[in-house]
Amino acid sequence: MSDDQYSNLGSISLSPPPQYYQQLALNVNPEALEGSQYVFAGEETKKRSLHEIMFFGIGTSYLSGLCIGGIWGLIEHQQTFESTSKVLRRNHCINSVTKRGTFMGNSIAVLALFYTASTGIIGKMRDRDDLWNDIGGGAVTGGLYKCTKGALQGCKFMGLGALCGLGLNVINGSLDQGMSYGPDTIRETYSDMFDRR
């Protein structure tokens, strides 16, 4: 083989492809994306669908419950186990962590399922996306959680669930839009409630 066929290797440019190659790959003009977090035009008004919200909420709740339950099981293992055998200690630790971890993970995930589903259904019925959806979803979740203990317990947990829904809305909004979200939203909701009357 001759060296002539490899003589042009040093002249090949290794720089990134030109902008029109990126435009062909994305089917979008890259200059239109400058400073934007959205890939397609008009997507800034698009909201996440109910199944995306449920998938995210239930998944993060399950993982959080696993972590919290695992820590609970580890603390329980430290308080209850007294034997010096390494094999017994390891087995007891694993049993405690998996027992409490799965219990907490499943329990919190079911509550997240109730909350996200009821919040989404209330939002679809009202055709609005505001604070009242989360308060109503929390109240429904709290009522379903303790409905088998009687009407009084169900009502107490409905109120507690409504407060948790309000708290979740304020926390999510504050993370997305800044710390002024909570007071502004509560003020707007309060004034909107009295403007309707």
Side-chain angles (χ1 to χ4, degrees):
M1 300 187 95
S2 68
D3 291 335
D4 292 339
Q5 73 188 95
Y6 298 111
S7 62
N8 66 344
L9 285 180
S11 63
I12 297 175
S13 173
L14 298 177
S15 63
Q19 289 293 328
Y20 62 87
Y21 287 144
Q22 293 176 5
Q23 183 176 351
L24 289 174
L26 289 175
N27 200 19
V28 172
N29 188 0
E31 284 81 26
L33 300 177
E34 291 270 331
S36 176
Q37 61 178 334
Y38 306 104
V39 176
F40 301 108
E43 201 170 80
E44 57 272 359
T45 58
K46 189 174 156 187
K47 297 199 180 276
R48 291 190 303 165
S49 66
L50 179 59
H51 71 275
E52 289 173 327
I53 293 170
M54 289 180 72
F55 185 81
F56 177 77
I58 294 167
T60 54
S61 299
Y62 183 72
L63 290 176
S64 302
L66 284 177
C67 293
I68 292 168
I71 293 169
W72 177 20
L74 194 60
I75 292 170
E76 186 179 68
H77 160 72
Q78 294 291 336
Q79 293 174 347
T80 60
F81 194 73
E82 297 168 359
S83 178
T84 57
S85 169
K86 287 186 178 183
V87 174
L88 288 177
R89 176 176 288 137
R90 184 179 61 227
N91 286 343
H92 187 265
C93 179
I94 291 171
N95 288 341
S96 297
V97 167
T98 55
K99 176 183 175 186
R100 297 299 180 195
T102 55
F103 167 72
M104 285 294 290
N106 290 335
S107 299
I108 293 176
V110 168
L111 289 175
L113 171 68
F114 286 154
Y115 175 74
T116 54
S118 58
T119 301
I121 290 169
I122 291 170
K124 292 279 186 195
M125 286 174 27
R126 294 180 64 231
D127 198 29
R128 292 182 75 181
D129 186 21
D130 59 3
L131 181 67
W132 292 109
N133 297 344
D134 291 304
I135 292 173
V140 169
T141 302
L144 286 173
Y145 180 65
K146 283 293 180 179
C147 67
T148 59
K149 298 286 185 183
L152 184 61
Q153 282 290 98
C155 289
K156 284 181 187 177
F157 274 84
M158 280 181 78
L160 184 64
L163 286 175
C164 289
L166 171 66
L168 282 172
N169 182 287
V170 169
I171 289 170
N172 285 336
S174 297
L175 290 174
D176 285 344
Q177 301 173 16
M179 295 306 291
S180 65
Y181 173 82
D184 292 345
T185 303
I186 292 172
R187 193 178 313 110
E188 287 171 13
T189 305
Y190 187 75
S191 64
D192 185 42
M193 189 168 58
F194 288 108
D195 287 344
R196 288 183 188 174
R197 291 183 178 181

